[in-house]
Amino acid sequence: MTIDDTETIPNPEKDPYRNYWHSHLSLSKTYIDSANTPNSVRRFCMQATIDRVQYLISLKTEKEKDYRILTSICLPDYFDSTMIVFFDDDTFNRFFTRESEYLRWIPLPSDRDIAKEWHLRVPEGLELRGYKQIIKDVEEDDLRVGEIWFVGEIG
């Protein structure tokens, strides 16, 4: 995702077979997920994406009033983070149903708060929700456990 990707609210008519738009961050995986990259860089990227969500929300017109705009923040693999615009509630609700043997999201305890832990500013009106994410890759015989946080129009 670049600034150009988010100058305007994505148009659902560009891809009529999808009820959402998403964009991965324009970052090098080798760089952003490296142990040598300072957390201040990750924090800057997180805050910039949260600010971009707020910007897109501020652009909404009557036509887009039901769209839901949010970002996902994935840890420890920040490279997997995205910005998402859902064009309808049905797609949004299906997205948050993650209960298969290959992918599970377990709500994190209410005392966890990525905004406090990373010193992020979440603008008024945006919501924050975190999950423990468990991904089982049977082809690679791999189990990945991390966190996925959502900031935006979640409620």
Side-chain angles (χ1 to χ4, degrees), residues 141-152:
D141 192 29
D142 185 34
L143 184 68
R144 292 190 307 152
V145 178
E147 294 181 355
I148 186 166
W149 291 86
F150 296 95
V151 182

Side-chain angles (χ1 to χ4, degrees), residues 70-115:
L70 53 129
T71 188
S72 68
I73 298 172
C74 299
L75 298 172
D77 300 321
Y78 185 71
F79 179 76
D80 294 334
S81 302
T82 60
M83 282 195 64
I84 312 166
V85 177
F86 292 99
F87 302 126
D88 64 61
D89 279 343
D90 189 44
T91 304
F92 172 82
N93 291 327
R94 280 195 321 267
F95 175 81
F96 277 93
T97 303
R98 302 294 174 134
E99 286 294 325
S100 75
E101 73 176 280
Y102 305 105
L103 176 61
R104 292 190 59 212
W105 287 352
I106 302 165
L108 290 170
S110 60
D111 63 339
R112 290 288 314 281
D113 185 336
I114 193 172

Side-chain angles (χ1 to χ4, degrees), residues 26-126:
S26 298
L27 301 166
S28 159
K29 178 174 180 48
T30 330
Y31 174 71
I32 200 66
D33 288 340
S34 168
N36 296 325
T37 300
N39 277 339
S40 61
V41 171
R42 289 184 194 85
R43 184 203 165 287
F44 175 84
C45 292
M46 289 178 201
Q47 187 64 60
T49 306
I50 291 168
D51 293 344
R52 211 62 193 162
V53 165
Q54 180 64 31
Y55 170 76
L56 285 176
I57 290 169
S58 76
L59 296 179
K60 285 169 66 169
T61 66
E62 184 64 26
K63 178 182 171 187
E64 294 108 2
K65 70 176 188 218
D66 293 330
Y67 291 7
R68 294 190 189 228
I69 301 171
L70 53 129
T71 188
S72 68
I73 298 172
C74 299
L75 298 172
D77 300 321
Y78 185 71
F79 179 76
D80 294 334
S81 302
T82 60
M83 282 195 64
I84 312 166
V85 177
F86 292 99
F87 302 126
D88 64 61
D89 279 343
D90 189 44
T91 304
F92 172 82
N93 291 327
R94 280 195 321 267
F95 175 81
F96 277 93
T97 303
R98 302 294 174 134
E99 286 294 325
S100 75
E101 73 176 280
Y102 305 105
L103 176 61
R104 292 190 59 212
W105 287 352
I106 302 165
L108 290 170
S110 60
D111 63 339
R112 290 288 314 281
D113 185 336
I114 193 172
K116 288 181 183 171
E117 294 169 15
W118 283 79
H119 307 287
L120 300 169
R121 185 188 56 77
V122 177
E124 190 173 326
L126 297 189

Side-chain angles (χ1 to χ4, degrees), residues 10-23:
N11 183 345
E13 294 170 10
K14 285 188 176 181
D15 189 354
Y17 302 105
R18 230 186 239 173
N19 292 330
Y20 67 95
W21 168 91
H22 77 288
S23 181

